[in-house]
Amino acid sequence: MNFELIIFGISAVIAVFGATMMIAQRNPVASVLYMILSLIAQAVCYVQLGALFLGVILIVVYAGAIMVLFLFVIMLLNLRGEEASEQDTPAVSQFTKYVFSVLLTLELVFIVKAASLDSVATQVADQVADGFGSVRQVAQVMFTNYLYPFELTGILLLVALVGAVVLAKRERDSYSSATDDADDDRSERVVE
Amino acid sequence: MVPTSAYLILAIILFGIGTVGVLITRNMIVLFMSIEIMLNAANMVLIAFSKALNLVDGHVIVFLVLTIAAAEAAVGLAMIVMVYRNRETVNVDRFSLMKW
Amino acid sequence: MAEYLFLVPLFPLIGFLINGLLIGRLPKPLITLIGCGSVGLSLLLSCSLFFELKALAPEARQITQTLFTWISVGQSPDQFHVSIGYLLDPLSAVMILVVTGVGFLIHIYSIGYMAHDNGYGRYFAYMNLFTFAMLTLVLADNFLFLFVGWEGVGLCSYLLIGFWYEKKSASDAGKKAFIVNRIGDFGFLVGIFIIFWSVKSLDFMTVAARAPEVFVFGGSLVTAACLMLFLGATGKSAQLPLYIWLPDAMEGPTPVSALIHAATMVTAGVYLLARTNALFIMAPDALMVVAIIGALTALFAATIGLAQNDIKRVLAYSTVSQLGYMFLACGVAAFTAGIFHLMIHAFFKALLFLGAGSVIHAMSNEQDMRNMGGLKKYLPITFSTMFVATLTITGIPLFAGFFSKDEILWKAFSSGTNGAWYFWLIGFVTAGLTAFYMFRLVYLTFYGKERMDSKTKSHIHESPRTMTVPLMALAVLSAIGGFIGMPHIFGVTNYFEEWLSPVMSGPAHDMAEHALASGGHSATMEWLLMAASVVLVLVSIWMAYYFYRKNTQASTSLAEKFLGIKTTLENKYYVDEFYGAVVIRPVIYFSLFLWKFVDVILIDGTLNGLAKLWRDVSDALRYSQSGQLRSYATIFTVGVVLLIAWIVFGINHG
């Protein structure tokens, strides 16, 4: 039992624990905090896999920015746990949901086991060169082979930005301008 | 030395937890976060294979996925804010207007 | 001048467009100017074209003008090529003179007759459109273009019969005319198809030239084509068995009856036969059918005419009867005689109708002759012109009708066809009947007691100048028009026959002359027959005089004696009722069956049943649409699980 395996074991357990607690919590704020915990543990795994850059990005962008955005929204809406909603009886029973989620997981595990890629993969993994997953290496690939997808995500971000602004903008402004238009129309008709 | 399959199984377990979260939670925001978990599970698979195959391309794809997740979060949360403003709730069971 | 040929039909079209597009916006004088002026211009142009044609050598009397290609399929000349083109030859020259000449006079007459009608502009628009269509019909240089004119006049006939569309009977009559004509037009189209199929051309000149090579003399193909064309002609020209629409067509304004249903459109069938004489001459069987139908129609319609009381209906049956004469002439291959009678008939029948219109105008729209009488002194001009027309139609010697009718009778008698004698006999009897019913009309209308009520009587007045001048012009034409076509035995040239001879000759005629032995008859025989018919006519007139003037009681007692015959004649042999029972009733029942059973139960039932099935199924299924996001997600997950299971395990074990 070596050091790497221990670290993987601990971070894996924390990741799974964080995810489980996230969906189990009634209070969304706590959910977000558990999610952040899970993400940090996952970042540890990324680093172990040689993805140093992505691990840092995961913490800074995901845990630091996106999750904080979630937190902001929850606090902005002032959500306090789930309201009891017994009248909404789901059409499919809770039991079915668990069963099929577990079945899906088992199936995927079965595929991984059946593929038996351990032997091949481990051998290759031993020969990983120095600087694998460094900022330089990722950037080199990203700005050559993946230049266009990268630029496109830039546009996507812009669109998302505009979309978010449009969606979240208060309706009142457009409302009043619409009524103004209607008034204009009517006055024009009167003039005619 | 940790075998690649260990990372894959970790990813699958996270994915399964995300699925359960999507299926059982009533809170739209938590539902949204469950989807994020599933995305991250997929990222984990990509990175694991990157290492196994000694190819950095997987990292680039993960980077793009993170970017898209950020965009999605921005738009999704804006929509949630909108919905909440109109319906005073984020309980997905209440959004059953489009039936029959 | 020849290059302006296309303007002849174009003037009325322009008139129609102006009057038709600006209905209700033009002042009346302008409508009159455009409506009559356009036809007048056509008349002037037609006259000058006639003289130009006359200046040419007889064999070269043919002016063609192709405006543009209408339909063109394929490269080879054997494929379908139709152009918009006009053909002016002696035959169409006669026709355009009749159409524009009589048409112009009737337009002038209409100014007075329609003066107080609300639809003044509409009326002149339709009349101009009709003139355009009729000129297209007679000037077309191919079958298809002729068909355009053919349908055009049918449309105008429909529009003008139903001109007073507020009147149910008028709009019904319009529909009847249109529908009955469809039957004939169907035959005409089939005839065109056969001709194109065999000759590979629709051009009149080409068809006439190639007919002897393509068809066998008396062969079944050419007979079929001719019979189909004749079916078209029976529809348009109101022959048995499709004549029933013409008497009803009298619902239209009287000038319309004069122009369309007496002078021009109904003679289109005769024109068609004369135009395709090269084909008919090669099909003796078809000619025999034409002759039989023509003779029977002439007799049949004349007998009905004996007992009608509506002044216009008498004239309508008279028209049918006279058209029968023309077909009889065509049927014995005397196309020239047919066209000659067509022209003379256009003069005197238009005159009779216009005179009747004048009477009706004076009588405040009363049409029943039993309520007239003694109008001679009130309507002197109308009386004298109508009397001229009556003398012409009865065939009093030296009036135009005498020459044209005796020409037909003589041709029927002297033709070599089987049963020529019977044709002559039928024509002879019909001539007597014609004289009788025409003088009956004159005596009932203009002589005797004044049977109208006092209110009507106070309104009686002679028609205005615009109406009487055309009457006088037509009277002159009816009186002297016959001198251009006098028989040879009078020792003068028959100008009309000479004029049309280039059209009525050609390879097909040479071929027919070999096959048909012309029955040689002496001039004495012709004199004898002529005298016989004159005597018969005079006897008939005397009988009409006896029954309706001298001894009116006699007619009533005679009618009582033969009550059955009288009612049968008054009811027009119950032909309408017969058609109603045999044709219309079954059609109605069949339509009812189609509607109530096939449409409602079969088709609608199936469709509604299918729709209901899906409705019920959807009704059951819609409960799966709970609208709950999580349920959908769960179902989605189940699907994914099953799909992966199928892919992984199914492939491994399969």
Side-chain angles (χ1 to χ4, degrees):
Chain A
M1 186 154 288
N2 58 27
F3 183 60
E4 268 190 60
L5 206 58
I6 295 167
I7 292 182
F8 171 72
I10 294 169
S11 57
V13 167
I14 292 173
V16 172
F17 169 76
T20 315
M21 290 308 283
M22 184 207 84
I23 63 170
Q25 282 297 321
R26 285 196 163 259
N27 186 346
V29 177
S31 284
V32 171
L33 293 177
Y34 277 113
M35 175 89 180
I36 293 172
L37 177 67
S38 176
L39 284 174
I40 290 170
Q42 283 177 46
V44 172
C45 292
Y46 281 21
V47 174
Q48 266 195 310
L49 281 165
L52 186 65
F53 170 62
L54 285 179
V56 172
I57 288 288
L58 191 70
I59 290 173
V60 172
V61 175
Y62 230 114
I66 299 180
M67 283 304 129
V68 169
L69 187 61
F70 272 86
L71 210 54
F72 271 156
V73 170
I74 291 165
M75 289 175 164
L76 180 74
L77 300 184
N78 201 14
L79 295 176
R80 291 233 167 265
E82 271 175 37
E83 324 103 274
S85 50
E86 278 74 30
Q87 70 273 37
D88 303 321
T89 41
V92 188
S93 74
Q94 297 292 98
F95 179 69
T96 329
K97 294 175 179 176
Y98 288 116
V99 166
F100 276 92
S101 301
V102 170
L103 273 178
L104 182 64
T105 313
L106 290 179
E107 269 179 346
L108 293 173
V109 170
F110 174 83
I111 292 171
V112 169
K113 284 294 169 200
S116 66
L117 30 76
D118 272 344
S119 50
V120 190
T122 331
Q123 278 168 13
V124 179
D126 288 342
Q127 300 160 2
V128 168
D130 278 352
F132 177 80
S134 65
V135 179
R136 171 191 290 268
Q137 207 187 14
V138 172
Q140 262 172 356
V141 178
M142 183 146 60
F143 292 125
T144 52
N145 295 357
Y146 292 91
L147 183 61
Y148 290 117
F150 175 77
E151 294 292 347
L152 284 175
T153 45
I155 294 169
L156 183 77
L157 278 174
L158 180 66
V159 172
L161 179 76
V162 174
V165 169
V166 169
L167 279 172
K169 204 177 143 208
R170 289 220 167 259
E171 284 252 307
R172 194 157 43 83
D173 299 356
S174 57
Y175 226 95
S176 60
S177 67
T179 38
D180 285 349
D181 286 349
D183 286 342
D184 288 350
D185 284 350
R186 208 171 303 131
S187 57
E188 274 169 28
R189 221 167 288 134
V190 168
V191 169
E192 277 173 349
Chain B
M1 195 59 224
V2 186
T4 310
S5 61
Y7 291 102
L8 294 183
I9 288 171
L10 171 63
I12 290 168
I13 291 170
L14 286 172
F15 188 82
I17 293 169
T19 312
V20 173
V22 168
L23 296 189
I24 65 163
T25 188
R26 289 197 181 88
N27 190 323
M28 216 191 218
I29 294 176
V30 178
L31 191 147
F32 205 6
M33 286 195 291
S34 301
I35 295 174
E36 301 285 347
I37 288 271
M38 291 163 87
L39 267 176
N40 275 312
N43 284 350
M44 179 79 85
V45 172
L46 278 167
I47 289 174
F49 275 117
S50 260
K51 170 112 189 272
L53 299 173
N54 194 14
L55 269 175
V56 91
D57 296 46
H59 291 197
V60 177
I61 294 173
V62 170
F63 180 82
L64 298 180
V65 171
L66 287 180
T67 322
I68 291 165
E72 181 206 319
V75 177
L77 287 172
M79 284 166 74
I80 289 173
V81 170
M82 275 290 298
V83 167
Y84 185 81
R85 206 181 277 156
N86 286 328
R87 304 291 307 269
E88 297 287 328
T89 179
V90 289
N91 185 341
V92 287
D93 284 353
R94 294 289 174 81
F95 307 139
S96 58
L97 289 177
M98 293 185 53
K99 62 182 174 183
W100 296 327
Chain C
M1 247 356 236
E3 61 269 29
Y4 297 121
L5 179 55
F6 72 98
L7 284 176
V8 174
L10 196 66
F11 281 132
L13 179 64
I14 293 170
F16 160 68
L17 289 176
I18 297 175
N19 270 343
L21 292 176
L22 299 175
I23 274 180
R25 301 199 185 168
L26 294 178
K28 255 187 185 180
L30 198 58
I31 294 174
T32 312
L33 186 70
I34 293 167
C36 298
S38 58
V39 181
L41 283 173
S42 283
L43 174 62
L44 288 177
L45 193 57
S46 302
C47 289
S48 64
L49 282 165
F50 170 77
F51 286 116
E52 185 170 320
L53 199 65
K54 199 163 175 293
L56 296 170
E59 288 71 32
R61 281 176 186 159
Q62 222 179 75
I63 298 174
T64 51
Q65 186 178 32
T66 306
L67 293 184
F68 53 87
T69 304
W70 180 19
I71 305 170
S72 184
V73 179
Q75 299 292 322
S76 117
D78 276 359
Q79 278 156 316
F80 195 62
H81 297 283
V82 180
S83 57
I84 298 289
Y86 293 115
L87 163 69
L88 187 74
D89 65 354
L91 178 58
S92 50
V94 169
M95 291 303 291
I96 59 170
L97 282 178
V98 169
V99 172
T100 53
V102 177
F104 179 65
L105 290 174
I106 292 173
H107 272 76
I108 299 286
Y109 178 91
S110 302
I111 300 171
Y113 193 82
M114 301 299 287
H116 307 297
D117 200 278
N118 288 330
Y120 193 74
R122 189 162 57 94
Y123 175 83
F124 273 99
Y126 287 168
M127 289 291 270
N128 277 358
L129 181 63
F130 170 80
T131 312
F132 161 69
M134 191 69 205
L135 288 170
T136 304
L137 197 163
V138 297
L139 281 173
D141 75 341
N142 61 64
F143 280 97
L144 206 62
F145 194 32
L146 185 147
F147 190 70
V148 172
W150 187 272
E151 289 301 311
V153 293
L155 168 74
C156 296
S157 165
Y158 162 77
L159 289 173
L160 284 164
I161 293 170
F163 183 75
W164 288 312
Y165 53 84
E166 307 92 341
K167 233 164 74 183
K168 176 95 170 67
S169 58
S171 65
D172 280 351
K175 278 184 269 181
K176 188 174 178 181
F178 207 68
I179 292 165
V180 172
N181 266 303
R182 293 271 70 69
I183 302 170
D185 295 347
F186 154 76
F188 188 15
L189 268 180
V190 173
I192 293 177
F193 295 156
I194 296 176
I195 287 166
F196 180 75
W197 182 66
S198 42
V199 187
K200 305 287 178 215
S201 172
L202 288 179
D203 194 72
F204 290 135
M205 290 298 149
T206 322
V207 170
R210 283 200 209 153
E213 308 153 22
V214 177
F215 295 117
V216 186
F217 182 79
S220 55
L221 195 61
V222 66
T223 309
C226 288
L227 284 178
M228 282 297 145
L229 290 181
F230 179 58
L231 179 59
T234 55
K236 192 64 72 192
S237 293
Q239 296 296 292
L240 282 173
L242 298 180
Y243 74 95
I244 48 163
W245 65 270
L246 187 56
D248 287 13
M250 296 304 134
E251 292 289 345
T254 306
V256 169
S257 309
L259 177 61
I260 301 184
H261 305 118
T264 54
M265 184 190 85
V266 288
T267 60
V270 182
Y271 169 76
L272 178 67
L273 261 59
R275 176 53 78 199
T276 55
N277 63 74
L279 292 174
F280 275 91
I281 204 79
M282 293 187 65
D285 295 342
L287 278 181
M288 183 56 94
V289 172
V290 174
I292 292 172
I293 296 278
L296 287 182
T297 310
L299 182 64
F300 184 79
T303 53
I304 298 177
L306 293 178
Q308 295 300 309
N309 289 319
D310 184 322
I311 185 168
K312 281 181 75 180
R313 278 187 186 260
V314 174
L315 294 175
Y317 281 105
S318 164
T319 305
V320 175
S321 172
Q322 297 297 317
L323 287 166
Y325 264 119
M326 297 174 210
F327 278 103
L328 174 61
C330 294
V332 296
F335 297 102
T336 312
I339 294 294
F340 186 45
H341 194 57
L342 184 160
M343 185 180 85
I344 302 297
H345 175 256
F347 296 150
F348 67 67
K349 192 49 67 65
L351 172 53
L352 283 170
F353 267 112
L354 294 185
S358 177
V359 169
I360 294 165
H361 195 69
M363 292 290 295
S364 316
N365 293 328
E366 174 65 61
Q367 299 196 4
D368 195 329
M369 292 190 295
R370 283 169 300 191
N371 298 334
M372 297 179 183
L375 291 175
K376 188 181 164 188
K377 65 172 179 284
Y378 299 105
L379 308 170
I381 300 175
T382 307
F383 166 72
S384 49
T385 52
M386 261 186 101
F387 194 73
V388 169
T390 310
L391 292 178
T392 299
I393 188 176
T394 49
I396 299 294
L398 300 183
F399 282 93
F402 169 72
F403 296 114
S404 63
K405 183 186 280 179
D406 265 346
E407 180 84 356
I408 290 173
L409 289 177
W410 170 244
K411 292 283 185 192
F413 185 80
S414 64
S415 72
T417 47
N418 297 329
W421 199 81
Y422 294 104
F423 290 142
W424 175 82
L425 188 65
I426 294 176
F428 182 69
V429 171
T430 308
L433 293 173
T434 309
F436 183 80
Y437 68 67
M438 282 315 298
F439 271 89
R440 172 175 175 263
L441 185 148
V442 168
Y443 286 135
L444 282 178
T445 311
F446 292 107
Y447 289 93
K449 274 194 298 212
E450 296 166 5
R451 295 179 293 275
M452 67 292 277
D453 53 46
S454 56
K455 185 161 174 266
T456 315
K457 195 172 170 179
S458 62
H459 280 116
I460 295 177
H461 59 282
E462 179 61 286
S463 303
R465 191 67 59 81
T466 50
M467 287 165 72
T468 51
V469 169
L471 287 179
M472 291 186 275
L474 282 168
V476 171
L477 284 171
S478 309
I480 64 164
F483 291 118
I484 58 166
M486 282 159 71
H488 296 290
I489 52 167
F490 278 75
V492 288
T493 331
N494 188 336
Y495 295 107
F496 196 77
E497 196 174 293
E498 204 172 73
W499 172 250
L500 280 185
S501 60
V503 186
M504 304 302 167
S505 62
H509 285 265
D510 300 342
M511 203 178 200
E513 253 164 48
H514 286 295
L516 287 175
S518 180
H521 290 281
S522 61
T524 329
M525 196 65 173
E526 195 171 347
W527 280 114
L528 215 62
L529 294 176
M530 205 177 274
S533 66
V534 169
V535 169
L536 178 75
V537 163
L538 290 175
V539 169
S540 302
I541 293 173
W542 180 80
M543 277 168 72
Y545 175 74
Y546 179 76
F547 282 123
Y548 292 100
R549 182 83 183 93
K550 190 161 174 245
N551 190 354
T552 43
Q553 297 306 314
S555 68
T556 18
S557 62
L558 192 73
E560 271 161 15
K561 222 181 254 174
F562 299 101
L563 196 63
I565 298 176
K566 181 172 170 274
T567 33
T568 313
L569 288 181
E570 269 178 355
N571 289 300
K572 310 148 217 164
Y573 290 108
Y574 299 102
V575 170
D576 277 324
E577 286 76 4
F578 174 75
Y579 282 159
V582 173
V583 181
I584 298 171
R585 192 87 54 80
V587 166
I588 288 175
Y589 282 137
F590 185 62
S591 308
L592 269 178
F593 163 76
L594 286 180
W595 168 36
K596 295 274 190 195
F597 180 74
V598 175
D599 205 48
V600 172
I601 296 180
L602 225 59
I603 295 173
D604 286 3
T606 313
L607 289 179
N608 289 342
L610 272 177
K612 193 169 149 40
L613 178 71
W614 291 119
R615 237 183 89 111
D616 293 350
V617 170
S618 316
D619 215 36
L621 274 177
R622 68 178 180 150
Y623 292 103
S624 66
Q625 301 281 315
S626 63
Q628 300 212 331
L629 185 68
R630 298 189 302 148
S631 300
Y632 296 163
T634 312
I635 294 165
F636 173 60
T637 311
V638 171
V640 169
V641 168
L642 294 179
L643 209 61
I644 292 175
W646 181 63
I647 291 169
V648 172
F649 302 109
I651 288 169
N652 277 354
H653 300 288

